[in-house]
């Protein structure tokens, strides 16, 4: 069993910053990719940023240059530093982790979601 616990969401004014964290725990043998997605009301869930086990990153065009994804492999944790936030960044943010369990099965696990609201 694998658990993802997210933290760091909240309300911030436009131009402000927030840092999201997502810690994975449980029956984990290894973690491959870690990423952040978001879903705004009435819209589909979209990829925000992703980081591989080797540290390669990719970002949605809408956040490139403003958001930074990083990971701490020792803590099984992924972070999303969000700067220069805009009202259109308002959404529920979900972390996603691709991992291998101790039973040698591949799992794509999702966090519970954390609300980010950016006021204008």
């Amino acid at each position: 069993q694998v658990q993802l616990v997210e933290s760091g969401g909240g309300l911030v004014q436009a131009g402000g910053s927030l840092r999201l964290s997502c810690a994975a725990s449980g029956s984990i043998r290894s973690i491959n990719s870690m990423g952040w997605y978001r879903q705004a009301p009435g819209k589909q869930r979209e990829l925000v940023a992703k980081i591989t086990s080797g540290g390669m990153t990719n970002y949605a065009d809408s956040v490139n240059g403003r958001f930074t994804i990083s990971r701490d492999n020792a803590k099984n944790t992924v972070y999303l530093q969000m700067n220069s936030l805009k009202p259109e960044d308002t959404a529920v943010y979900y972390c996603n982790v691709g991992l291998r369990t101790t039973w040698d099965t591949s799992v794509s696990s999702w966090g519970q979601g954390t609300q980010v609201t950016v006021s204008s």
Side-chain angles (χ1 to χ4, degrees), residues 28-44:
I28 299 171
R29 170 173 290 182
S30 62
I31 293 178
N32 300 319
S33 65
M34 306 182 86
W36 290 94
Y37 291 72
R38 67 186 181 187
Q39 187 166 19
K43 295 189 177 181
Q44 289 189 329

Side-chain angles (χ1 to χ4, degrees), residues 1-108:
Q1 198 170 4
V2 176
Q3 299 83 37
L4 299 183
V5 178
E6 301 177 17
S7 61
L11 173 64
V12 65
Q13 286 189 330
S17 299
L18 284 174
R19 189 191 194 211
L20 305 183
S21 300
C22 174
S25 63
S27 305
I28 299 171
R29 170 173 290 182
S30 62
I31 293 178
N32 300 319
S33 65
M34 306 182 86
W36 290 94
Y37 291 72
R38 67 186 181 187
Q39 187 166 19
K43 295 189 177 181
Q44 289 189 329
R45 189 174 297 189
E46 63 175 0
L47 174 68
V48 176
K50 205 167 187 178
I51 184 167
T52 69
S53 57
M56 292 184 63
T57 59
N58 67 287
Y59 297 91
D61 289 343
S62 59
V63 308
N64 201 15
R66 300 187 296 122
F67 291 9
T68 302
I69 189 170
S70 61
R71 60 191 282 173
D72 184 333
N73 292 328
K75 296 181 179 179
N76 288 343
T77 299
V78 61
Y79 305 97
L80 185 68
Q81 178 66 44
M82 305 184 293
N83 298 330
S84 301
L85 282 160
K86 304 176 180 180
E88 51 263 43
D89 294 318
T90 295
V92 178
Y93 284 69
Y94 299 90
C95 71
N96 174 261
V97 175
L99 58 91
R100 204 144 186 92
T101 70
T102 53
W103 296 282
D104 208 27
T105 56
S106 294
V107 171
S108 178

